[in-house]
Amino acid sequence: MHFFDWAIVIAYIAWLVSDGIKRTKLERTTESYFLANRSLPWWAVGLSVMATQLSAITLVGTTGQGYNDGLRFVQFYYGLPIAMIILSVTLVPFFYRAKVYTAYEYLEKRFDLKTRAFTSFLFLLSRGMSCGAVVAAPAVVLSVILGWNVSLTALLICAPAVAYTILGGVQAVTWTDVKTMALTVGALVIAMIFLILGLPGGVGVGDALTIAGGTGRLRAFNFDFTLTETYTFWSGMLGGTFLMLSYFGCDQSQVQRYLTARSVDDGRTSLLMSAYWKIPLQVLVLMVGVFTFLFYLFNQPPLLFNPVHNARMQSSVASTQYETLRQEFQSTFQARRQAAVDIAAARQSGDVVVQARATDAFRQQDETLRTIRARAATLVRETTGDANYNDVNYVFPTFITTALPIGLVGLWIAAIMTAATDTIAAELNSLSTATIIDFYKRLFRPNRSDMHYVFVSRVATGFWGLFACVVAVYASSLGSLIEVVNRFGSFFYGSILGVFMLAILTRRTTGTGAFVGLIAGMTAVAVVAFGRPEISFLWHNVVGAAVVFAVGVAVSFFNREESRGLTVESLKSKV
Amino acid sequence: MDDQPAGNRTATYLSVIGVEILVWLALWWLQQRFVI
C-alpha cells in the first residue's frame, strides 16, 4: 500500500478515536454513558442503526456475493420494511414508556427475573460471538491482501473501537457511526462511478447490464417456495421478517441505538430510515459486486483471488496441474471477453441474430470459466487441506488494491476497517450495558453510585473487546463469513423474538410459560439445524418464534402463576 | 410522548410500503429488461 493510502487510513482512525475521547467528559452517569441522556436527533440515531448493521462483512462479503451470484442476496432484506413498521407500532413505544436501559429489563416487568436473565445471557453469548466474526471478516481478508499479520490486523480494528467506546460511551459510538456511514456510502458511490467509467470503449452501461443479465446476475426475485434455497422471495418475506423483528426489536445492539433518541417519535423515525434506505443501499452494494464482475470480464482476473493460496499452489506438488488450469482459464477468459464485446456490438447495431449467437457463445464460455474456477478450488482443497476454501470475500479487496488509484485505495481500506470498528463499537457498548444493567447492577451490586457503574461499564467494555479479538481468530477458520454471523444469531434470534411476542401479544402467559417456551424453541431450532441441515437458516427464526409462542401459551394454560399483564393493551395505564 | 398524530404515523407507514413496492418494481424491471 502506498504511503499516501497509509496516511489516509491512519488519519481517519486517529480522527475517530480523538473525537470519541473528546466526549469522555460528558459521561458521568449511566444514563449519559449508555443512552446519551435520551437526547440524540433522529437522523444521527438512524444513521447509527444503519451503520451498526452495515459492517465490513457487508462491504467485503456482499460485494463478493454480487460478483458471484448478482442481486439474489437482496431478497434477504425484503421483510425489513415490514419488520420496521411492526416494531414502530409495538416495541418502540413499549421500551420508551417502560424507561428501560435494555430490552430484557422489560421482560422482568412482564414476566420474571429468570426470563430476563436468560434472554440477556443468550444475547451476550450470540452477540459476543458475532462480534468476533465482525472483526474476523476484514482482519483475515486485509491480512491476506495486504500481507499483514492477522492478529495485528484484528487488533488494529478492535483497539480503536475499544478505546473510544470505553471513554466516550454511546455518544462516541453514535457520532462515529454517522461519520463512517458517510464515508462508506461515499466510497461505494465512487467505486460505482469508477467501475462504470472503466468499461471498455464500445461497451455502454446498457450493454454491460445486458451481459450481466445474461448470466442471471440481475435476478432479484426467486418465487420458488423451497425451504432449502437460502435466498428466495418467501424466505426473505417470512424468515427475513422474523429475523429483522428479532434483530431490530430484541437485540440490545440495535435497541440501544434508538433508545438514545429524543422521543418515541424520533426513535420510530430513526428505525424507519432503515426501512426506506436499507434495500436501495443493499442494491448499491450488490451492484458494485456485479460491476466488479463486469470489470473482470474485460480485465484478466487471477484464477484464485486469494493471493496466499495462489502462491502456495504455484510452489506445491500440484503446481503443474495448477499451471494447466491457469492457462486454460486465460484462454477461456479471452474467448468470453470476445463474446461479451460481440454482444455489445450486436446490441448496438440491432442485429438480433448475431446477438443471440454471441449470447450463446458467451454463456458457454462463462460456464466453462466457472467450471475451471471450481476445479481450481477443488485442487486447492485437496492440496492445502483447507476444506472450507472459498475466495468470494477476496474478490472486491483484490479489485480495490490492484485497480483503484492511490488515494481511493486508502479511502476504501479505511472504509472497510472502520465499518468493522463502528459495528463492534456499538456491539461492545450494548454488551457492556447488558452485563452491567441486567447482571452486575441487578444481581450483584444493586445500590452503588452512578460513577461506580460507569467505571465498571468501562471495564466490561474492555473485557468484551478482548473476547471479540479471541473469537475473531477462531472465526477466521470458518467458511463464508457473512453466513457465520447470521448462523450464530439464528440459533437464538427466533426464540428470543418468541418470548417478546408472548410478552406483548398475550395477557395470560406467565414467567414459567415463557421460560419453558424459550427452552423448547431453542431445542426445536437445534433439532432442525442438526437434523435437517439442508433447510435454510432463515427458516430457523420462524421455527424458533412459533415453538416458543405455542409452548409458552400451552404451559401458561396449566400454570397458575399470576400474570403481570404488561401487554399491548395494558402498558399505557400501568407504567 | 407520542408527538405525532396517529393519522400522520399511518401515512408514514404507508409511504414505507409504497417505497418498497417502487424498489421492487425497479428491480423487476431490471430483471426483465436485461434478460437475454
Side-chain angles (χ1 to χ4, degrees):
Chain A
M1 206 160 75
H2 192 271
F3 166 77
F4 188 59
D5 293 318
W6 268 108
I8 289 174
V9 174
I10 292 168
Y12 186 70
I13 292 175
W15 180 46
L16 289 188
V17 176
S18 69
D19 196 53
I21 290 171
K22 272 186 203 160
R23 296 175 196 279
T24 310
K25 291 175 195 163
L26 301 170
E27 313 305 344
R28 300 231 179 264
T29 66
T30 44
E31 187 157 34
S32 66
Y33 189 75
F34 290 137
L35 301 179
N37 292 321
R38 303 177 200 264
S39 64
L40 297 177
W42 65 266
W43 57 270
V45 178
L47 287 172
S48 182
V49 166
M50 290 179 77
T52 301
Q53 211 205 5
L54 195 152
S55 72
I57 293 172
T58 311
L59 297 179
V60 168
T62 309
T63 46
Q65 289 203 349
Y67 177 93
N68 259 359
D69 303 319
L71 300 180
R72 194 176 64 115
F73 179 60
V74 75
Q75 296 171 107
F76 179 78
Y77 292 97
Y78 283 169
L80 188 144
I82 295 156
M84 292 310 203
I85 292 173
I86 295 171
L87 290 174
S88 296
V89 174
T90 56
L91 277 173
V92 176
F94 259 64
F95 292 148
Y96 273 88
R97 292 194 183 106
K99 292 276 175 206
V100 291
Y101 281 72
T102 74
Y104 319 109
E105 255 183 292
Y106 161 67
L107 292 180
E108 185 175 0
K109 288 176 189 276
R110 170 66 180 86
F111 295 130
D112 52 23
L113 177 60
K114 67 175 181 297
T115 310
R116 170 188 180 177
F118 191 50
T119 48
S120 185
F121 171 75
L122 289 178
F123 162 73
L124 292 179
L125 186 68
S126 61
R127 192 47 59 192
M129 299 286 265
S130 80
C131 207
V134 165
V135 181
V140 172
V141 174
L142 292 179
S143 66
V144 167
I145 297 286
L146 300 168
W148 299 348
N149 175 286
V150 66
S151 304
L152 280 177
T153 313
L155 209 64
L156 197 63
I157 292 165
C158 250
V162 177
Y164 70 73
T165 312
I166 286 178
L167 297 170
V170 78
Q171 289 261 7
V173 171
T174 306
W175 292 111
T176 305
D177 284 348
V178 171
K179 294 183 197 94
T180 304
M181 199 60 202
L183 174 73
T184 305
V185 174
L188 281 166
V189 171
I190 289 171
M192 195 67 195
I193 292 169
F194 187 86
L195 283 161
I196 290 172
L197 294 177
L199 288 170
V203 179
V205 175
D207 305 324
L209 288 172
T210 305
I211 295 163
T215 63
R217 281 181 171 80
L218 298 184
R219 194 176 179 200
F221 294 93
N222 176 1
F223 290 110
D224 298 345
F225 194 91
T226 162
L227 298 179
T228 51
E229 184 78 33
T230 307
Y231 306 119
T232 67
F233 180 81
W234 306 112
S235 72
M237 287 301 285
L238 290 170
T241 301
F242 274 76
L243 176 66
M244 299 304 168
L245 279 173
S246 189
Y247 178 59
F248 288 98
C250 317
D251 188 306
Q252 181 64 16
S253 69
Q254 283 294 352
V255 172
Q256 194 165 350
R257 308 275 76 72
Y258 53 81
L259 284 180
T260 60
R262 284 172 187 158
S263 66
V264 67
D265 265 336
D266 272 22
R268 279 194 189 106
T269 311
S270 66
L271 264 189
L272 292 177
M273 204 169 152
S274 286
Y276 286 118
W277 290 107
K278 183 64 191 177
I279 297 178
L281 182 65
Q282 211 60 35
V283 171
L284 175 64
V285 176
L286 288 168
M287 281 305 266
V288 166
V290 171
F291 272 80
T292 307
F293 163 76
L294 290 162
F295 177 85
Y296 283 122
L297 188 68
F298 297 108
N299 300 278
Q300 174 80 53
L303 174 55
L304 302 178
F305 280 97
N306 184 327
V308 170
H309 281 89
N310 191 38
R312 278 174 74 182
M313 289 308 294
Q314 281 170 349
S315 59
S316 73
V317 286
S319 61
T320 319
Q321 262 174 291
Y322 184 69
E323 184 53 28
T324 311
L325 275 177
R326 213 172 57 80
Q327 283 172 9
E328 220 178 305
F329 181 74
Q330 274 179 356
S331 59
T332 313
F333 160 77
Q334 292 297 347
R336 187 183 67 166
R337 184 184 195 283
Q338 188 53 53
V341 171
D342 291 346
I343 291 174
R347 188 174 174 271
Q348 282 167 19
S349 67
D351 192 332
V352 183
V353 178
V354 176
Q355 188 179 338
R357 204 183 309 134
T359 303
D360 283 343
F362 173 77
R363 283 191 178 133
Q364 202 181 344
Q365 299 300 337
D366 191 54
E367 193 50 45
T368 311
L369 219 64
R370 262 184 190 269
T371 312
I372 295 169
R373 263 177 57 79
R375 276 163 57 203
T378 308
L379 192 64
V380 171
R381 290 187 197 109
E382 286 168 2
T383 310
T384 63
D386 183 356
N388 294 317
Y389 175 78
N390 185 350
D391 66 357
V392 68
N393 294 325
Y394 294 85
V395 175
F396 194 62
T398 301
F399 166 76
I400 291 168
T401 50
T402 57
L404 288 182
I406 293 169
L408 285 187
V409 177
L411 189 79
W412 258 103
I413 299 295
I416 292 174
M417 289 181 74
T418 53
T421 301
D422 72 357
T423 298
I424 59 160
E427 294 184 350
L428 295 178
N429 184 239
S430 59
L431 285 164
S432 161
T433 310
T435 307
I436 300 307
I437 301 293
D438 290 333
F439 293 98
Y440 185 81
K441 186 177 179 183
R442 175 66 182 84
L443 298 173
F444 304 112
R445 297 279 187 277
N447 297 309
R448 296 297 181 93
S449 68
D450 246 12
M451 287 292 277
H452 172 80
Y453 291 126
V454 172
F455 172 74
V456 287
S457 301
R458 290 183 163 143
V459 174
T461 307
F463 164 78
W464 284 111
L466 191 68
F467 181 79
C469 280
V470 172
V471 175
V473 175
Y474 170 71
S476 64
S477 65
L478 300 176
S480 181
L481 292 164
I482 190 153
E483 292 199 1
V484 171
V485 172
N486 290 327
R487 265 175 210 283
F488 276 136
S490 72
F491 266 73
F492 309 113
Y493 273 171
S495 303
I496 294 177
L497 175 65
V499 174
F500 277 88
M501 282 166 59
L502 283 171
I504 290 171
L505 301 176
T506 67
R507 295 175 72 177
R508 300 184 68 89
T509 305
T510 62
T512 303
F515 190 78
V516 174
L518 182 55
I519 304 280
M522 287 181 356
T523 310
V525 172
V527 168
V528 172
F530 293 109
R532 297 288 302 278
E534 71 277 12
I535 292 179
S536 159
F537 69 90
L538 270 176
W539 293 104
H540 295 172
N541 301 293
V542 184
V543 171
V547 171
V548 171
F549 196 83
V551 173
V553 169
V555 171
S556 302
F557 185 75
F558 298 106
N559 183 263
R560 290 186 176 273
E561 283 173 33
E562 192 189 337
S563 169
R564 301 187 197 187
L566 278 169
T567 65
V568 160
E569 291 172 49
S570 58
L571 189 75
K572 265 185 185 171
S573 58
K574 293 207 175 182
V575 173
Chain B
M1 197 176 281
D2 292 324
D3 310 320
Q4 223 180 32
N8 288 4
R9 285 204 302 275
T10 307
T12 307
Y13 300 146
L14 286 175
S15 75
V16 169
I17 302 285
V19 168
E20 173 155 40
I21 290 170
L22 283 177
V23 173
W24 279 351
L25 287 174
L27 288 170
W28 183 252
W29 174 81
L30 201 65
Q31 179 173 314
Q32 297 304 309
R33 172 73 181 77
F34 293 105
V35 168
I36 48 175

